[in-house]
Amino acid sequence: MDIVVCVKTNPDLQMVRIKNREAVTEAVPYKIGDLEKNALQAAVDLRAAAGGKVTALCLAESNRKAAEDIKVALAMGADEAVVIDDPALAAPDQAAIAAVLAAAVKKIGACDLLLFGEGSSDNYTGQVGARVAELLGLPQIGYARKVEAADGAVRCERSMDDMIETLEAPLPAAVTVVSEINEPTIPGLMQIMKAKSKPLQVWALADLGLGAPAPVREIVSNLAEEQDRKNILFEGTVAEQADAFVNALIKEGVLGR
Amino acid sequence: MEQVECIIVGGGLAGLSAAYGLASAGVEVMVLERGDYSGAKNVTGGRLYVKPIRGFYPELWEELPYERPIARELVTMMGDGAHTTIEIASDRFAGAKPQSYTVLRAKLDQWLAEKVTEKGAMVVPNMKVDELLRKDGRVIGIRAGGDEIGAQVVIVAEGVLRLLSSEAGLAAEPQAKHHALGYKEVIELPSGVIEDRWHLNPGEGAAQFFMGACTKGMMGGGFLYTNKESISLGMVVGMEDMRRRRDGTESWQLLDEFKELPQIKPLVAGGVVAEYSAHSVPEGGISQVPKLAGDGYLVAGDTAGLSLNALVTVRGMDFAIASGYFAAEAVKRAKKAGDFTAAGLASYEASLRNSFVLKDLETARAIPGFMENPRLFTHYPVAVSRLLESIYTIDERPQAGLFKKAWRGLRRDFMNVATVKDAWSMRKI
Ligand SMILES: Cc1cc2nc3c(=O)[nH]c(=O)nc-3n(C[C@H](O)[C@H](O)[C@H](O)COP(=O)(O)OP(=O)(O)OC[C@H]3O[C@@H](n4cnc5c(N)ncnc54)[C@H](O)[C@@H]3O)c2cc1C
């Protein structure tokens, strides 16, 4: 079974700081997102059961080192990697990302199963998996916490509020996974060294026969939320302070609705 | 066992500098770095003296991601409610070819790691080396996690702690008396504010050292470097002095108290602490430099004890880069000769001895001993400030003449057996 896993790299969120309500990403290294690692691990596990090939597919966006960073996916067990890196794609919207990924999946060719994380760790729109599936006309299952493949079909479990739903779709299909699905392995030095000689291709938009995307969505503002504090100080004994505090909360409508 | 030509343990400046030289010459090289990325764990103040290293990899330094060239040097002696600051400025400090720059290591090391990768070396972050593999006294490779990898030569550039090299018997275990503790905060301030507070032309920088009251008389001092939009403010204190203290002062409290001092508070006012870190600093000087090479290995940078704190100039990064450069040269030579034994790698020590690295360390041989003199951190900062304060004081009494005031101060604080002894011991430094 041939599997393509869409893998995004994000600025390392632990290193991002907020300054003047904006994220400072200068000198912050990129990393493969955690959910994408879950998807990769799921692909590697499926390959162990069913054979085939795992390809990691990454749209570099603004990460100029994506071709380097994606080697972690190869070390984790992907057989090949494809990076799409094009200056016209530095800040694409979800529609453009999906169009490019769909074209890349077509170019890769053999793909029985297309895997995604449920969302990316930075913007977390949760749209890309569904959009790509739609563009490729594939059946899609979102938020899988278990994936199995057998007899030309994929069978997934997902948690609903009060039940576990089991869904099946014929292959080829697209599936997005949640973090409960597995514990991604941390590659050892030997795996990292072996990854070096695995095939890695970098494509530009022209290689996919695409032109620069016209954004249909524009980010008008993306600021950290700012909260005005009420700056109320309660005085008196602890009991009095507590009473006054609770009353204030009730008045604000926070308590006792 | 999988084999590579050269493994470098530690992706700091020493390791990366060696990797750059080797990869440029087509040697198969792999750098293993414990941190999430190079520079992730680095605490350097810091200022990089570039003049000494400009000749190594000249193409690199054109692109160095520096913060500010240092145009002003300030030394503040902190006494008892009074302090004295001396400013040293020169057109030749900054100018067209600055002698030193402030740097932020997270940026610098990542940049260098990128350059190294471009040259074809493999830099593996998140990879802690657990052991240096030895066979018949020869270093033959490393173990990281479950994997053992062999190498013809291992360059050990693991930084100051020497955990691996001391375990493998390549260097002595670090001792507290040869180390200081360094603490540092990066405090963000707008660049205009920095330029106003330190009287700087746009883009230029200042370095300031503090000694005396800020370490409560312990060996060490405070440092302050201006970056583009932040300052690196920190403190270094002798580990032994700190350990001997019985008043419950925790070393990290010193930095907090330092920031509250009336001389420092207005300098950091309005700043936002972006980063806090702590690290040990080698202060042993040349007496703590271990054997630099043996069968199958070389040691470089802080691991080799190549660091020099000469009170007002702190050097380690330039030595780390230089030792990495010479390590690469030696390995290239050894490869050509097909001899990675101690004899084949001997040119490394010879190059270091012929260069500023071991020469400057040799010149400074007496400094660590000199710095053990507590009067440097207690008596003198107080005495200097007291003397100058008296000269600048006018009160209701008739004033003594200038000369008399100075003479009185000098006689009281600078002319006794102890100070004469100190002056005599200074001739060696
Ligand atoms: C507070 C402070 C201020 C300083 N200020 C200055 C200054 O202003 N100017 C100056 O020139 N120098 C300064 N120094 C000294 C300077 O930081 C060092 O001399 C220099 O960083 C040494 O470089 P290095 O490559 O030898 O070690 P490091 O930069 O420490 O690099 C060692 C690397 O090895 C990695 N490592 C360690 N063990 C392992 C392992 N087992 N497996 C894999 N990786 C490992 C570490 O993560 C680290 O990245 C200062 C130091 C301190 C602490």
Side-chain angles (χ1 to χ4, degrees):
Chain A
M1 188 168 68
D2 293 328
I3 307 172
V4 175
V5 190
C6 292
V7 177
K8 181 176 167 177
T9 62
N10 306 300
D12 183 353
L13 293 184
Q14 286 181 329
M15 299 294 302
V16 174
R17 284 174 305 102
I18 305 293
K19 195 170 160 187
N20 300 329
R21 298 178 65 199
E22 298 212 44
V24 182
T25 51
E26 195 203 351
V28 173
Y30 280 72
K31 277 187 166 173
I32 293 180
D34 289 340
L35 287 160
E36 285 89 332
K37 285 188 178 167
N38 292 116
L40 263 167
Q41 188 63 45
V44 170
D45 294 344
L46 284 168
R47 183 190 56 194
K53 190 173 82 178
V54 174
T55 305
L57 170 60
C58 173
L59 203 166
E61 299 191 31
S62 54
N63 180 9
R64 292 281 72 77
K65 282 173 60 207
E68 198 51 45
D69 296 334
I70 199 68
K71 287 185 183 154
V72 174
L74 293 171
M76 283 180 66
D79 301 289
E80 292 183 12
V82 172
V83 173
I84 297 146
D85 193 355
D86 195 301
L89 285 171
D93 61 16
Q94 274 61 43
I97 294 170
V100 173
L101 290 177
V105 171
K106 275 192 202 147
K107 185 169 158 104
I108 289 168
C111 174
D112 301 306
L113 182 63
L114 186 53
L115 287 178
F116 300 85
E118 57 163 315
S120 61
S121 341
D122 53 356
N123 291 327
Y124 202 77
T125 65
Q127 295 184 22
V128 173
R131 281 179 181 268
V132 176
E134 209 52 40
L135 289 173
L136 293 173
L138 297 176
Q140 51 176 301
I141 298 175
Y143 308 100
R145 57 161 224 183
K146 191 171 172 191
V147 184
E148 287 165 343
D151 308 325
V154 60
R155 180 192 285 251
C156 301
E157 258 181 27
R158 60 181 182 183
S159 293
M160 310 305 274
D161 261 353
D162 51 357
M163 60 171 170
I164 291 166
E165 195 176 41
T166 305
L167 298 158
E168 210 178 79
L171 295 175
V175 174
T176 75
V177 306
V178 297
S179 62
E180 294 99 287
I181 193 166
N182 54 37
E183 191 66 52
T185 51
I186 298 167
L189 185 51
M190 283 298 274
Q191 287 164 293
I192 293 172
M193 286 174 69
K194 287 204 182 109
K196 219 182 134 181
S197 50
K198 290 184 179 178
L200 191 161
Q201 299 184 62
V202 181
W203 295 340
L205 276 179
D207 296 316
L208 298 172
L210 298 176
V216 293
R217 181 211 65 188
E218 184 190 345
I219 299 179
V220 179
S221 159
N222 186 12
L223 296 177
E225 197 172 340
E226 205 169 40
Q227 242 179 347
D228 281 336
R229 302 194 181 270
K230 296 233 179 304
N231 290 319
I232 304 170
L233 271 180
F234 301 107
E235 287 173 32
T237 64
V238 173
E240 284 165 1
Q241 289 181 39
D243 279 346
F245 180 51
V246 170
N247 282 333
L249 290 179
I250 292 171
K251 216 169 106 193
E252 288 290 327
V254 182
L255 279 185
R257 260 183 291 192
Chain B
M1 196 160 55
E2 192 86 13
Q3 283 283 334
V4 294
E5 283 182 324
C6 176
I7 291 177
I8 298 177
V9 181
L13 288 180
L16 291 171
S17 163
Y20 187 85
L22 288 170
S24 306
V27 178
E28 183 192 17
V29 52
M30 186 162 76
V31 183
L32 305 177
E33 165 55 44
R34 175 184 61 168
D36 281 353
Y37 53 89
S38 282
K41 300 208 160 144
N42 202 282
V43 180
T44 305
R47 168 229 301 265
L48 173 62
Y49 286 99
V50 278
K51 278 224 169 125
I53 54 167
R54 272 199 203 278
F56 314 139
Y57 317 131
E59 73 283 7
L60 271 183
W61 315 123
E62 302 299 317
E63 289 175 48
L64 178 78
Y66 63 83
E67 294 293 310
R68 290 169 186 265
I70 293 184
R72 296 181 69 222
E73 308 269 0
L74 301 154
V75 181
T76 300
M77 283 164 278
M78 307 174 96
D80 180 17
H83 69 273
T84 306
T85 298
I86 301 173
E87 172 179 344
I88 305 94
S90 161
D91 296 346
R92 287 164 295 278
F93 284 167
K97 280 229 180 293
Q99 71 158 355
S100 72
Y101 293 105
T102 50
V103 292
L104 289 170
R105 285 294 292 276
K107 260 189 227 171
L108 176 65
D109 290 24
Q110 272 187 77
W111 165 80
L112 191 51
E114 235 168 86
K115 295 284 159 200
V116 166
T117 312
E118 279 167 22
K119 289 285 175 198
M122 208 176 155
V123 181
V124 185
N126 281 314
M127 190 55 63
K128 177 169 162 280
V129 175
D130 296 307
E131 196 188 339
L132 298 173
L133 300 176
R134 308 239 289 160
K135 195 177 163 197
D136 308 327
R138 183 193 172 104
V139 175
I140 56 162
I142 58 98
R143 183 173 61 77
D147 295 326
E148 294 190 346
I149 313 281
Q152 288 179 308
V153 59
V154 176
I155 298 177
V156 188
E158 59 170 331
V160 58
L161 292 180
R162 288 187 186 170
L163 293 178
L164 299 173
S165 38
S166 59
E167 196 189 75
L170 313 184
E173 237 173 82
Q175 285 177 292
K177 67 172 177 203
H178 296 134
H179 289 81
L181 280 170
Y183 302 85
K184 189 195 72 178
E185 284 184 0
V186 174
I187 301 172
E188 290 179 340
L189 285 169
S191 62
V193 170
I194 291 173
E195 283 151 12
D196 285 350
R197 285 187 191 172
W198 281 274
H199 312 162
L200 297 165
N201 291 316
E204 289 186 342
Q208 191 165 4
F209 284 90
F210 304 84
M211 50 192 292
C214 57
T215 56
K216 306 193 172 194
M218 291 183 284
M219 179 188 112
F223 60 81
L224 187 159
Y225 296 99
T226 58
N227 305 316
K228 273 191 188 124
E229 293 194 304
S230 64
I231 57 169
S232 298
L233 180 75
M235 178 151 275
V236 174
V237 262
M239 261 187 210
E240 265 310 278
D241 279 8
M242 198 62 230
R243 212 148 68 166
R244 274 202 292 266
R245 247 193 130 75
R246 290 277 174 263
D247 63 358
T249 306
E250 297 284 346
S251 42
W252 51 266
Q253 287 172 340
L254 289 172
L255 186 53
D256 284 347
E257 290 173 24
F258 182 48
K259 278 167 52 181
E260 287 299 318
L261 292 175
Q263 306 94 306
I264 307 299
K265 211 171 172 173
L267 294 177
V268 297
V272 181
V273 177
E275 222 180 282
Y276 173 84
S277 44
H279 202 73
S280 55
V281 197
E283 303 258 315
I286 197 159
S287 73
Q288 295 307 303
V289 175
K291 210 172 122 209
L292 292 162
D295 292 339
Y297 78 90
L298 299 168
V299 291
D302 274 1
T303 308
L306 305 177
S307 150
L308 178 56
N309 176 353
L311 275 178
V312 292
T313 53
V314 177
R315 298 172 65 181
M317 290 190 277
D318 54 337
F319 290 168
I321 290 168
S323 63
Y325 172 84
F326 289 125
E329 290 298 302
V331 168
K332 285 194 283 188
R333 215 165 288 149
K335 184 181 170 181
K336 215 180 232 165
D339 179 6
F340 291 98
T341 64
L345 294 165
S347 69
Y348 176 51
E349 178 160 349
S351 315
L352 284 173
R353 290 221 174 272
N354 285 327
S355 75
F356 67 90
V357 178
L358 285 179
K359 284 193 172 150
D360 287 357
L361 273 170
E362 185 59 53
T363 306
R365 181 179 282 277
I367 285 195
F370 179 74
M371 297 229 298
E372 277 168 24
N373 178 355
R375 281 187 298 277
L376 272 182
F377 309 99
T378 51
H379 175 72
Y380 292 108
V382 174
V384 169
S385 298
R386 185 155 56 194
L387 183 134
L388 291 165
E389 183 185 3
S390 79
I391 290 176
Y392 279 82
T393 297
I394 301 288
D395 57 19
E396 66 287 358
R397 288 168 300 185
Q399 297 298 300
L402 202 56
F403 180 78
K404 196 159 183 190
K405 277 186 180 178
W407 180 244
R408 235 192 252 148
L410 282 172
R411 226 181 35 205
R412 182 184 55 214
D413 287 327
F414 294 92
M415 293 186 187
N416 51 53
V417 178
T419 54
V420 169
K421 230 175 82 192
D422 293 344
W424 182 244
S425 75
M426 273 183 79
R427 79 200 185 284
K428 288 196 206 136
I429 63 168

